Amino acid sequence: MKTLFAFFLLLVTCNSVMGTIPAIPADVYNHQLYYTAPATIWEEILPLGNGRLGMMPDGGVDREHIVLNEISLWSGMEADYGNPDASRSLPAIQQLLFEGKNKEAQELMYSSFVPKKPESGGTYGNYQMLADLNIDFSFPHRRKTTSENDTAPVTDYRRWLDLRDAVAYTSFTKEGIDYQREYFTSRDKDVMIIHLTASRRRALSFSAQLSRPKQGVVSMLPGIGKEEGTLLLEGTLDSGKPGREGMKYRVAMRLISKGGKQNISAERGITLTQGREAWLVLSATTSYAASGTDFSGNRYKEVCDSLLNAVTQHVQIKESHIASHRTFYDRVSLTLPFTEDDVLPTNERITRFTERESPALAALYYNYGRYLFISSTRPGSLPPNLQGLWANGVETPWNGDYHTNINIQMNHWPLEQAGLSELYQPLTALIERLIPSGEETARTFYGTHAQGWVLHMMTNIWNYTAPGEHPSWGATNTGGAWLCAHLWEHYQYTQDIEFLKRIYPVLKGASEFFYSTMVREPKHGWLVTAPTSSPENAFFVGNDPTPVSVCMGPTMDVQLLTELYTNVIEATSILECDADYAAKLREALDKFPPMQISKGGYLQEWLEDYKEQDVHHRHVSHLYGLHPGNLISPDATPELANACRETLNRRGDGGTGWSRAWKVNFWARLGDGDRAWTLFKSLLYPAVDPQTKRHGSGTFPNLFCSHPPFQIDGNYGGTAGVGEMLLQSHEGFIHLLPALPKSWHTGNFYGMKARGGISVDLEWKNGKAVKAILTATIPGIFHVKMPEGVIRAKAIIDGQSNNYTGKTISLSLPEKGECVLSFE
Ligand code: FUC
């Protein structure tokens, strides 16, 4: 099936407006980031990762600095945050909310409804970089130089990242000698490899050291017999609790070389003198031992053995690494109109994009998002955190944790559609591990009558589920409900009943929490969450000038819980269980507040038509029902969709990195491709001010999204947005080209997935679909929709040809059945 579009992939998709096509095929630039100088800031560096180990080489000529990461390396420890004051004060807080005294309710929360801190210093911890690897090079001098500093010029410098192969390179020429470095992180062997070559004998000399800003001790394990030794960096992080050890980690590095002389010592690191080809092989592990993952104590001890193993196979490792990466990466392809700007180095391409649009940059961004996802998580690992896998310090912004009021969710938006379904496993496992802690939190914070489990708006690898320490942002208690939407989404895409059976108790437990704790607000008798907040916006009550955040039943909660209850009800009917409970949920759903349109015409964010403190607030939580939720659409609920449009116009097209990415998705769901494209351009706005060098919102030279600072959610949200412009699946329809911007007039994609277990390939020209191939994993009737109105198409299913005409067309496909649709 994929071969159908292989031909198109090789073609340069030329934007005729832009004129001549460079000699190199466009497709290369859909899959490559490149630069003509070493990185000067971290956000210019190319990220590599195997879902657990990460490295970022800056391509420095004399000194190469490589930041290393390991996804489980966290300070802190598991702790009890249960605060008995919380459940005692809950009735009073709710009463104040019933009386419209939100400020007083919030004040009471400050003193009572906050996590109990067991120790000063904090056991919550944070994600930390693993280590710095610095490689200092010395180059042979052809001519006699007068001083050591008299360095010869570097020519033909280039560093690049091949997204298809997941290999990065640096190459340059100095004194007539060509140098090349290649870097990759192998998943199969679980090692990081740097392969260094010089075009002349005895031209490669360097010294490689491992270090860490703190808690790192370097030592060496001598080799046995002829074997070279191993350099180690080890340490123990803070647990945050006096007397308790934190997480331990170990990094190990060895050198293999052809020619030259090796030396190893704890003080100088590993040195090579006058070699020609060398491999630095590194591995690392931590003592994090969460059940069901790979991070066991044994691995910590065995890291040096695994390294030895890899060392003996270093040459073959690259080939198997590329093959295994491609099993993920090659599943999907996207080609969009190309311009001559696309051959520019990536940093210049981003800058040029502010003046002249080039749709192919969206294809690169989409491919990069897929690349980043494959690199930042894998089954058995942890989900990508706020920075994916890549952190360059021991103090990571927002602890580099898992924020659950948008961020970790956005991280997972593109994955199902991009055919990376199994990469849901780390998130699923993380959610399952949270349940015991979430049950505890439900009881301590909400009282003994509280059932099920709850997660507020942030978590970490230590299963934190309590409210955030500041109720103005920490009170949101629908983080778990939102994560349940993801579990359901995975089921919808895969139709995997075994998975549904596994996650049903998680969904049910989340719904039980709300079923047992929601209260009737006095004005209408609606069932609402209380206390809570609409992330992380504030409003004014009456004429009181003090902004408050704590409220009852904000729109986002209503939407999330409508979906949660509906999904649980549907699961009970698929799994034929819990009919009585489903009936109770149905009854409760009837008492939920409706979505309301404010007198200003926009969708109301709160139960009351409060005036918000920040009209341009980055969170647009009340539009959850439009995206990623499925409660609002221009076809099914036109009035609400209009209100969403008003809301978005009022919020504006700016915002932090991830906020812009979300807006791409909103406009795609509203069927406005050009507006989605405008937002995409805003997301791609160069984040580094050329004059001041300060960082704003947009995109860094290495295409990392800038909140600021770097936060990976915007990358994943933007990737999802590109996908949503081309293919959507909700309300029982597969929407082809639902929001195509005018400038994306010609293109193709293959391998994208839609809900219902279906794969879609599509080719379009002049803004109109020409040909599509739908492949079902399970049998079913699939309804296809397109924005043009009436579809006229010939469909060939199992060799049988039929003509279809209609606003939607319904195709019946057998298991693994394929339908080729040719549009008139
Ligand atoms: C949420 C957002 C912030 C930031 C942080 C990590 O709290 O409101 O903008 O993205 O997460």
Side-chain angles (χ1 to χ4, degrees), residues 412-430:
H412 291 80
W413 287 353
L415 113 91
E416 287 292 348
Q417 202 199 54
L420 300 172
S421 206
E422 66 269 55
L423 301 188
Y424 245 123
Q425 189 278 342
L427 180 68
T428 308
L430 180 111

Side-chain angles (χ1 to χ4, degrees), residues 522-538:
K523 205 157 153 189
H524 309 90
W526 290 329
L527 265 179
V528 292
T529 45
T532 182
S533 62
S534 183
E536 301 175 17
N537 209 354

Side-chain angles (χ1 to χ4, degrees), residues 227-386:
E227 238 176 56
E228 302 300 340
T230 305
L231 195 71
L232 298 178
L233 174 78
E234 294 169 293
T236 305
L237 271 45
D238 287 334
S239 71
K241 184 170 181 170
R244 285 288 294 271
E245 268 197 341
M247 191 181 291
K248 291 182 195 303
Y249 73 90
R250 171 182 279 188
V251 190
M253 176 168 74
R254 293 189 56 156
L255 174 69
I256 312 154
S257 60
K258 278 194 189 162
K261 200 167 159 303
Q262 276 199 40
N263 198 294
I264 176 165
S265 75
E267 297 71 37
R268 290 200 57 211
I270 297 182
T271 59
L272 176 70
T273 317
Q274 298 194 334
R276 181 173 185 163
E277 184 171 16
W279 289 263
L280 280 168
V281 188
L282 293 109
S283 190
T285 196
T286 73
S287 58
Y288 175 60
S291 58
T293 76
D294 271 341
F295 309 97
S296 69
N298 281 343
R299 277 192 45 84
Y300 172 67
K301 289 193 201 77
E302 282 164 8
V303 65
C304 291
D305 297 345
S306 78
L307 193 56
L308 253 180
N309 215 336
V311 161
T312 54
Q313 301 163 29
H314 56 279
V315 181
Q316 301 92 307
I317 290 178
K318 185 179 170 195
E319 280 161 34
S320 61
H321 156 71
I322 292 174
S324 104
H325 172 74
R326 284 193 163 213
T327 59
F328 290 95
Y329 188 82
D330 286 349
R331 290 177 187 175
V332 170
S333 161
L334 169 63
T335 307
L336 293 173
F338 180 69
T339 73
E340 59 199 11
D341 292 342
D342 297 313
V343 301
L344 292 171
T346 310
N347 49 330
E348 291 176 37
R349 210 171 153 182
I350 297 168
T351 318
R352 186 65 65 88
F353 192 60
T354 56
E355 298 151 17
R356 292 204 295 193
E357 64 177 44
S358 179
L361 189 56
L364 175 69
Y365 196 88
Y366 183 78
N367 289 331
Y368 189 51
R370 296 189 301 116
Y371 164 85
L372 290 172
F373 207 88
I374 301 163
S375 307
S376 61
T377 192
R378 288 294 174 89
S381 186
L382 286 158
N385 58 45
L386 281 171

Side-chain angles (χ1 to χ4, degrees), residues 405-463:
N405 63 11
I406 181 66
N407 315 84
I408 191 176
Q409 289 90 348
M410 187 177 278
N411 280 0
H412 291 80
W413 287 353
L415 113 91
E416 287 292 348
Q417 202 199 54
L420 300 172
S421 206
E422 66 269 55
L423 301 188
Y424 245 123
Q425 189 278 342
L427 180 68
T428 308
L430 180 111
I431 299 169
E432 287 174 332
R433 286 197 296 274
L434 289 174
I435 310 289
S437 153
E439 288 174 346
E440 198 61 39
T441 298
R443 251 52 90 225
T444 28
F445 281 82
Y446 296 86
T448 46
H449 68 285
Q451 309 279 304
W453 66 280
V454 65
L455 165 67
H456 291 78
M457 46 61 64
M458 62 203 249
T459 189
N460 57 8
I461 68 159
W462 309 118
N463 304 320

